[in-house]
Amino acid sequence: MEWFSRSNGELFAEQVSVANIAEQFGTPTYIYSRAGFEAGYKAYEEALSGHPHLICYAVKANSNLAVLNVLAKLGAGFDLVSVGELERVLAAGGDPAKVVFSGVGKQRHEIRRALEVGIHCFNVESEVELERIQEEAAAMNKVASISMRVNPDVDAQTHPYISTGLKDNKFGIDISRAPEVYQRAAELPNIDIVGVDCHIGSQLTTKEPFIDALDRLLILVDQLAERGIKLKHLDIGGGLGISYDGEVPPTPTEYLSEVRGHLMAQEKYQHLAIVVEPGRSIAGNAGLLATEVELIKKSDHKNFVVVDAAMNDLLRPSIYSAYHGIEPVQQDDSKESLFCDVVGPICETGDFLGKDRDIKVAEGDLLAVMSSGAYGFGMSSNYNSRNRIAEVMVDGDKVHQVRRRETIQEQFATESLLPEE
Ligand SMILES: *Cc1c(COP(=O)(O)O)cnc(C)c1O
């Protein structure tokens, strides 16, 4: 996480002290680095330059308007899974013509809105959905561009909950049935077939599963060509991993140069534009979660560092047993190292941010939960009636609050009591 570095043991976000940010905005707070998001995006641009491409940032990884705006300014496209995400992209200045719309349960009103603003394409995940899009497009007298999300049945070798490309998964259309479904799509008057799509999972740390999936997609491209169906793009999804705990995933260039190699090797594939849908690999290492130690609870067999952030703020450790590095904001070697679990105050055993860590820590210290820029705030909730926390973005030597901390009144705002008897 090069946007977060130390000077005299003190942690900085770009040029700003994390302790100063915590003092100004309180804790817990998500701290993002603009340069981090930009570098994440540019790594894909570089990897794909010279080949027709579209980089669609997966909005669900971090959907703060300021994050979307920073990426929109670089010319990013967006991968979305709901109309709420579409409205965010529009509000942040994103170009609807660079939007792809994924998701297994697109509702009719969502399809209509996407047709109205003119998205690049729908990634269709079932035959039922295909018919639904046809009906809505016909009613609006429009033509819907579509790409079929196929399930290539490859094992992404990642956590089962973030593996999405296996046969028994809810996502996509079984690749063996895809030619028939494309045939049906080709017969529909308000459907224009533009591509094929897959997304096999998240936090992949080797390129082999991606390349396996690609090769299966290319076989499908051939089968479709035999039926006279010519595709314009190949969407290979997102899923590239980041380093949370010393993993060394391929860089976008390492991964995509191999993809380009497979396409360029045969003339029949050379016209295919490459679409990617990276989320985590753009946002993950561009953020951290700053939290304060409330108290330390020691016992004979276990020590707990209780912090003011909890599973409702950062859910990944609880649901995926995910690892996030946890570091003191100010390193102090005079403190004794404590073997501990770092936990939140929520009434759940699953409420932890880290287990079995060695941290030099005392009450009142600030800790940084690293690599929290993706699937952090976006998965947060009000569980235990906790206010949703603030988000700030550092840009060089400046700090901008991009979401202020929620208030208790705001939590109640949409609720009401039963009428008086
Ligand atoms: C979540 C998701 C992505 C992004 O995945 P990352 O692992 O964050 O890169 C891309 N495409 C689809 C369809 C997704 O659901």
Side-chain angles (χ1 to χ4, degrees):
M1 294 180 75
E2 52 201 290
W3 333 109
F4 301 99
S5 61
R6 288 189 184 271
S7 170
N8 294 326
E10 188 184 348
L11 187 63
F12 281 74
E14 298 191 26
Q15 293 158 44
V16 186
S17 141
V18 168
N20 286 353
I21 297 173
E23 166 129 11
Q24 190 179 348
F25 299 99
T27 55
T29 290
Y30 277 104
I31 300 175
Y32 306 135
S33 155
R34 177 179 185 166
F37 287 103
E38 292 184 336
Y41 178 79
K42 286 177 183 164
Y44 279 92
E45 284 249 281
E46 208 175 284
L48 290 169
S49 81
H51 191 99
H53 67 268
L54 183 59
I55 302 162
C56 295
Y57 167 69
V59 173
K60 73 177 189 289
N62 186 326
S63 57
N64 184 284
L65 291 173
V67 170
L68 302 182
N69 177 249
V70 160
L71 295 173
K73 281 183 180 149
L74 296 178
F78 296 93
D79 167 54
L80 7 133
V81 293
S82 75
V83 76
E85 290 189 350
L86 176 57
E87 299 301 348
R88 282 184 174 274
V89 165
L90 296 172
D95 179 357
K98 293 182 182 170
V99 160
V100 300
F101 194 165
S102 308
V104 286
K106 299 176 194 76
Q107 297 175 35
R108 287 181 185 274
H109 72 96
E110 296 182 303
I111 294 168
R112 284 196 291 272
R113 179 68 174 141
L115 285 168
E116 182 178 275
V117 301
I119 64 166
H120 177 66
C121 78
F122 292 92
N123 287 339
V124 177
E125 304 221 12
S126 66
E127 290 157 271
V128 185
E129 184 191 327
L130 177 65
E131 303 293 336
R132 209 178 246 206
I133 294 172
Q134 160 60 31
E135 284 168 23
E136 294 302 331
M140 291 171 76
N141 212 3
K142 294 204 178 230
V143 172
S145 296
I146 64 111
S147 166
M148 221 68 83
R149 176 168 178 183
V150 299
N151 189 332
D153 195 27
V154 297
D155 185 356
Q157 289 161 348
T158 184
H159 189 281
Y161 287 3
I162 49 178
S163 178
T164 53
L166 281 168
K167 257 213 288 276
D168 56 0
N169 222 277
K170 73 174 176 179
F171 300 102
I173 297 163
D174 197 307
I175 195 161
S176 58
R177 291 208 47 252
E180 282 168 59
V181 186
Y182 269 98
Q183 191 72 54
R184 171 69 184 147
E187 289 158 10
L188 295 172
N190 298 76
I191 296 288
D192 179 30
I193 299 169
V194 294
V196 63
D197 164 51
C198 77
H199 171 71
I200 58 172
S202 201
Q203 185 55 15
L204 274 72
T205 52
T206 63
K207 57 191 173 185
E208 285 72 25
F210 289 122
I211 303 300
D212 285 353
L214 171 69
D215 288 338
R216 293 184 194 195
L217 289 192
L218 292 178
I219 293 170
L220 176 61
V221 169
D222 293 342
Q223 293 168 338
L224 296 178
E226 278 163 27
R227 293 175 184 238
I229 298 170
K230 201 165 179 235
L231 305 182
K232 296 186 191 127
H233 80 236
L234 204 62
D235 181 342
I236 49 180
L240 193 61
I242 61 169
S243 182
Y244 286 104
D245 187 20
E247 304 93 326
V248 189
T251 64
T253 295
E254 285 163 354
Y255 154 45
L256 291 166
S257 60
E258 191 151 338
V259 171
R260 291 174 69 164
H262 282 234
L263 295 189
M264 295 323 280
Q266 297 197 56
E267 221 233 301
K268 59 183 177 182
Y269 303 135
Q270 289 174 3
H271 69 285
L272 289 168
I274 299 174
V275 180
V276 289
E277 303 169 351
R280 187 191 314 274
S281 52
I282 288 179
N285 275 331
L288 59 75
L289 171 61
T291 182
E292 187 174 311
V293 177
E294 282 293 331
L295 55 93
I296 295 177
K297 186 175 164 184
K298 293 185 182 172
S299 77
D300 288 345
H301 41 270
K302 198 96 202 173
N303 300 312
F304 294 101
V305 171
V306 184
V307 297
D308 61 5
M311 66 185 285
N312 72 301
D313 305 309
L314 179 64
L315 190 57
R316 297 189 68 257
S318 304
I319 61 169
Y320 307 132
S321 307
Y323 178 94
H324 286 266
I326 301 177
E327 302 176 6
V329 166
Q330 177 68 57
Q331 272 168 353
D332 181 354
D333 286 333
S334 68
K335 278 182 194 144
E336 237 176 89
S337 193
L338 186 72
F339 186 70
C340 61
D341 286 2
V342 178
V343 302
I346 284 188
C347 306
E348 295 278 347
T349 305
D351 178 27
F352 61 91
L353 300 175
K355 286 198 160 172
D356 298 334
R357 306 297 176 89
D358 273 305
I359 312 177
K360 291 178 176 162
V361 67
E363 214 174 279
D365 282 359
L366 292 169
L367 295 176
V369 185
M370 309 306 282
S371 309
S372 305
Y375 306 108
F377 187 92
M379 290 180 128
S380 69
S381 75
N382 290 117
Y383 190 42
N384 276 212
S385 292
R386 289 162 53 86
N387 290 328
R388 294 222 281 168
I389 69 179
E391 296 173 283
V392 304
M393 192 180 303
V394 176
D395 183 5
D397 60 2
K398 295 195 178 59
V399 188
H400 305 281
Q401 183 165 245
V402 295
R403 178 193 300 266
R404 66 169 170 72
R405 195 174 305 282
E406 195 176 33
T407 65
I408 296 286
Q409 281 314 311
E410 283 167 334
Q411 270 198 60
F412 298 170
T414 54
E415 296 178 39
S416 38
L417 305 179
L418 293 182
E420 292 290 338
E421 318 235 308

